[in-house]
Amino acid sequence: MALKVKAVERLVKFNKNDAGTWLFVMQPELYTALSQEKVIKEAALRSGVSKGVMQACWDAAGEVIKAWATEGHSVALPGLGTMRFGLRAKSVSDVNDVKAKLIRTRRIVFTPSVDLKDELASTSIQITCYDRNGEELRRVTSTDPGEVEDPEGDNTGNGGSGENGGGTNTGDNGGGNSGGGTNNGGDNNGGGDGEGNGSDE
């Protein structure tokens, strides 16, 4: 199996006065979403249990994960990784200004397991290139091992985020991280959150 990616020629502008540059922008080609019923049916076949039993286990596991994650636990997802609650919030200098309204968004943070990251890193990638008119130009297949982004961050300048406000990002991918949180200078693609007010994830 290979991950399918398309590189489409698009006019990219970096500011409103920029005439723009035609660049090939890559994005994954996503298949149709698999329904829960199909996933349960396939899991039942692979495990040798009935579909009804698998459905009951699936529902129970979902309720446990939802309950524990919203209580602040980092919950294991068997064979996949862990899931936990996170947030993005503005920082203030005065303790009296600390209020819930500073929280901009509540987040669900998924951290893949080592096995899952290794599987993704070793999967080959097939890139189909299209020009600005939608015509296919060429196809490229690569089996080179790739780096898998760590949503937890490693505090070494790879666009990660400091846990519990403790880390200081000292990397070279754009501004420093003041107090552990979102990389203020953007991620490796220069997009990042770039909000200029360190936020705790």
Side-chain angles (χ1 to χ4, degrees), residues 75-201:
V75 186
L77 304 179
L80 298 176
T82 60
M83 187 185 78
R84 66 176 175 83
F85 160 73
L87 55 84
R88 296 190 190 280
K90 294 182 179 179
S91 302
V92 293
S93 57
D94 189 343
V95 68
N96 295 313
D97 292 333
V98 176
K99 298 177 182 178
K101 69 179 183 180
L102 294 174
I103 299 175
R104 296 194 304 274
T105 56
R106 303 180 185 192
R107 307 173 58 222
I108 296 174
V109 182
F110 169 70
T111 304
S113 66
V114 173
D115 289 342
L116 182 58
K117 289 197 291 185
D118 288 346
E119 183 72 19
L120 181 59
S122 62
T123 302
S124 62
I125 293 180
Q126 184 180 82
I127 306 172
T128 305
C129 304
Y130 300 92
D131 66 14
R132 64 195 70 178
N133 299 315
E135 296 293 328
E136 182 178 324
L137 299 177
R138 64 186 294 237
R139 294 192 180 191
V140 182
T141 300
S142 172
T143 56
D144 296 339
E147 181 179 348
V148 179
E149 178 181 294
D150 186 354
E152 291 288 344
D154 54 12
N155 290 329
T156 57
N158 292 320
S161 57
E163 182 73 21
N164 296 326
T168 300
N169 192 319
T170 58
D172 55 5
N173 292 315
N177 187 323
S178 57
T182 303
N183 187 324
N184 298 331
D187 59 17
N188 291 331
N189 295 321
D193 295 312
E195 305 209 15
N197 44 24
S199 57
D200 184 15
E201 293 192 336

Side-chain angles (χ1 to χ4, degrees), residues 21 24 57 67 117 140 165:
T21 304
F24 283 93
C57 294
K117 289 197 291 185
V140 182

Side-chain angles (χ1 to χ4, degrees), residues 24-75:
F24 283 93
V25 180
M26 290 198 289
Q27 63 187 72
E29 291 191 38
L30 300 180
Y31 299 97
T32 56
L34 295 177
S35 67
Q36 177 176 305
E37 182 180 1
K38 183 174 180 63
V39 174
I40 290 173
K41 181 179 179 180
E42 182 67 22
L45 288 173
R46 295 192 182 198
S47 64
V49 302
S50 70
K51 183 179 175 182
V53 171
M54 182 58 68
Q55 178 73 63
C57 294
W58 180 283
D59 293 341
E63 289 300 316
V64 169
I65 292 169
K66 180 171 63 176
W68 284 355
T70 53
E71 288 177 5
H73 297 282
S74 178
V75 186

